[in-house]
Amino acid sequence: MTDLLRLATAGSVDDGKSTLVGRLLYDTKSVLADQLEAVQRASVDRGLSTPDLSLLVDGLRSEREQGITIDVAYRYFATPRRSYVLADTPGHVQYTRNTVTGASTAQLAILLVDARKGVIEQTRRHAAVLAMLGVPQLVLAVNKIDLIDYDEAKFGLIAKEFLAHANALGYPEESVLSVPVSALVGDNVVDRSERTPWYTGPTLLEHLETVPVQPDPHDAPFRFPVQYVIRPRTPEYPDYRGYAGQVAAGVVRPGDEVVVLPAGLRSTVVRIDTADGELTEAGAGQSVTLLLDNDLDISRGDLIASAEHSPSVSDELNATVCWLAEKPLRANARVLIKHGTRTVPAIVTELSDRFDEQRLSTVDTPDSLELNQIGRVLIRTAEPLPVDEYTSSRRTGSFLVIDPNDGGTLAAGLIGAPLPIPDVHEDAGLGDATADDRALVSPGP
């Protein structure tokens, strides 16, 4: 089990994400004394009798004034069992792009719903995005459970509906947990609540401490996007030629045979340098400088990879994209593709289909992809790129679509296998639920 868990929060507006994250920080004693004093003063100024823990998270003045979270904020906390990096993402539909950013490296996601409203459109949209990104573990935090008088039946129906939706997106039952919580008063966040004796599962923090999370696999094929070529040409290092970057996947050791792509040049690693000295091996996430046994024409944007298990090199990408721009995507759009450390011109030659995250179905050959929509596209690049399937390597199986006019990010893209999309009706999540059951989870006035 890893000592570090990367997680993300997601949910609709006013579901209580900021309060929940604040409660986690507060109850795990991860808040500095001066921060807590500032929150207490601000809470008193607002006429509150208890600290508003959401203020620990919503640090921007504009966010505090509007009562919303508008950007991804990374929080760090720890318990005796684990350390955590938490990406707190916004709830507004127009900020789904931020959810993609925050969840792109997550090993677990916490999806919040308001117990009074149950699973809503934004819940299903976020679940689809998380499935597309391959986040392996989901937690549904049914928040504000105190506002429905800790109703076991209503919680059970919300959990049942969400599990059916998650199953349809490809999540096995053991990868999904639903927890009844009240972030405001602390029920089942860190400490078990006496007000939910019917709930026998773990608290949110207990689950975060014990959920099995696989680290980046060391047996994955080695991938190393070159960021910079180091050639000091000093009297001390007259012939030094090193290739600096961060290991994207796998492990490299001196003596390993590698291939430089897209050119296809082969070589052998002779040394691994860092600012602290040489290494006998380097794994995913480590920033190092590689020295090879011969002088090759290598530059920023090239990929050094395992010679035995090299990625495919292609100028055609069959990919899933989440469109993040106000301007819609249409066929024959000219864009830039940023893959690893290489950026190349490209054309979106075809929109294959669009995913309807509410009905869990597809629309064939759509005219366009609008903001926050997910679809399959075919892209032709001006230069061949060394790519992996996203399911086998997150880092080298993903890319960004960039506007060539202003450099803005247009989409996040994933190469290879499509999202599993069964053809089911949008109400299938309720299974055999009766009309009375549906009334239990319908939004209130």
Side-chain angles (χ1 to χ4, degrees):
M1 183 178 294
T2 181
D3 292 327
L4 175 68
L5 176 66
R6 296 182 180 275
L7 63 152
T9 60
S12 190
V13 179
D14 295 331
D15 280 347
K17 293 186 306 300
S18 295
T19 303
L20 179 69
V21 175
R23 171 65 62 184
L24 275 171
L25 297 175
Y26 180 77
D27 284 0
T28 56
K29 298 178 173 56
S30 302
V31 182
L32 298 176
D34 58 342
Q35 288 178 304
L36 186 57
E37 289 174 6
V39 167
Q40 290 171 334
R41 286 195 302 270
S43 300
V44 170
D45 292 342
R46 293 183 174 193
L48 303 175
S49 58
T50 58
D52 182 355
L53 297 179
S54 69
L55 298 178
L56 291 171
V57 176
D58 287 338
L60 296 177
R61 180 180 299 275
S62 60
E63 293 180 356
R64 293 199 302 268
E65 290 174 351
Q66 298 178 62
I68 62 171
T69 302
I70 61 175
D71 201 358
V72 179
Y74 290 90
R75 313 294 170 184
Y76 307 88
F77 65 101
T79 67
R81 301 189 68 168
R82 264 187 180 159
S83 297
Y84 304 87
V85 179
L86 185 150
D88 183 30
T89 67
H92 282 281
V93 172
Q94 62 265 40
Y95 297 121
T96 300
R97 69 196 79 177
N98 304 69
T99 302
V100 173
T101 300
S104 61
T105 60
Q107 300 156 306
L108 177 146
I110 303 171
L111 253 176
L112 271 79
V113 297
D114 187 323
R116 298 167 297 177
K117 301 176 182 178
V119 175
I120 62 174
E121 178 180 323
Q122 185 71 334
T123 312
R124 290 187 285 268
R125 177 178 292 110
H126 279 148
V129 169
L130 295 170
M132 180 190 78
L133 292 170
V135 179
Q137 299 281 343
L138 292 183
V139 176
L140 182 72
V142 183
N143 194 25
K144 305 183 183 182
I145 194 73
D146 53 312
L147 298 185
I148 61 167
D149 296 324
Y150 303 94
D151 189 326
E152 178 184 3
K154 188 168 183 179
F155 167 78
L157 198 63
I158 293 170
K160 176 184 176 183
E161 179 181 4
F162 181 75
L163 178 61
H165 186 72
N167 288 162
L169 289 168
Y171 282 99
E173 187 169 345
E174 61 271 16
S175 297
V176 182
L177 173 72
S178 295
V179 186
V181 303
S182 171
L184 184 64
V185 298
D187 292 305
N188 296 323
V189 179
V190 172
D191 300 315
R192 185 169 297 278
S193 174
E194 296 179 355
R195 292 178 281 266
T196 55
W198 42 266
Y199 175 69
T200 58
T203 67
L204 179 59
L205 185 63
E206 286 172 351
H207 184 64
L208 297 183
E209 286 187 320
T210 58
V211 63
V213 176
Q214 295 297 322
D216 290 330
H218 274 49
D219 57 353
F222 171 64
R223 303 288 186 262
F224 185 81
V226 176
Q227 294 181 355
Y228 187 69
V229 180
I230 300 176
R231 297 197 66 189
R233 294 180 178 174
T234 62
E236 188 177 1
Y237 301 102
D239 301 316
Y240 188 97
R241 184 195 293 263
Y243 308 104
Q246 186 180 79
V247 180
V251 174
V252 63
R253 301 176 181 86
D256 286 354
E257 187 178 0
V258 294
V259 60
V260 181
L261 299 170
L265 307 171
R266 299 176 80 92
S267 187
T268 301
V269 177
V270 295
R271 205 164 85 203
I272 305 172
D273 281 354
T274 71
D276 299 319
E278 292 184 38
L279 298 179
T280 57
E281 70 172 34
Q286 287 184 275
S287 296
V288 297
T289 300
L290 301 184
L291 280 73
L292 305 182
D293 70 347
N294 52 356
D295 290 338
L296 300 177
D297 183 12
I298 300 174
S299 59
R300 174 180 169 83
D302 288 339
L303 181 75
I304 301 176
S306 164
E308 185 178 359
H309 302 287
S310 62
S312 60
V313 177
S314 176
D315 61 0
E316 193 170 86
L317 306 180
N318 192 350
T320 299
V321 298
C322 181
W323 193 249
L324 308 176
E326 298 284 351
K327 179 181 178 180
L329 171 66
R330 291 185 170 85
N332 299 316
R334 293 183 179 274
V335 298
L336 296 176
I337 298 296
K338 185 179 188 305
H339 176 261
T341 54
R342 179 183 291 264
T343 301
V344 300
I347 297 177
V348 180
T349 57
E350 180 183 321
L351 306 185
S352 304
D353 54 54
R354 176 175 58 80
F355 176 48
D356 184 336
E357 75 279 352
Q358 302 302 315
R359 294 179 177 270
L360 294 182
S361 60
T362 58
V363 177
D364 292 336
T365 58
D367 293 333
S368 65
L369 287 182
E370 306 285 342
L371 175 66
N372 295 326
Q373 289 184 337
I374 299 169
R376 298 280 300 172
V377 300
L378 195 63
I379 300 173
R380 185 172 294 280
T381 58
E383 303 171 17
L385 296 174
V387 296
D388 288 294
E389 298 267 332
Y390 181 79
T391 51
S392 63
S393 176
R394 277 191 179 188
R395 291 280 299 277
T396 52
S398 59
F399 60 91
L400 293 177
V401 183
I402 297 172
D403 190 330
N405 297 316
D406 61 15
T409 300
L410 299 176
L414 313 176
I415 298 164
L419 191 69
I421 304 171
D423 187 12
V424 298
H425 190 269
E426 63 181 338
D427 285 339
L430 285 172
D432 299 326
T434 65
D436 289 340
D437 287 336
R438 285 186 172 85
L440 278 173
V441 295
S442 62

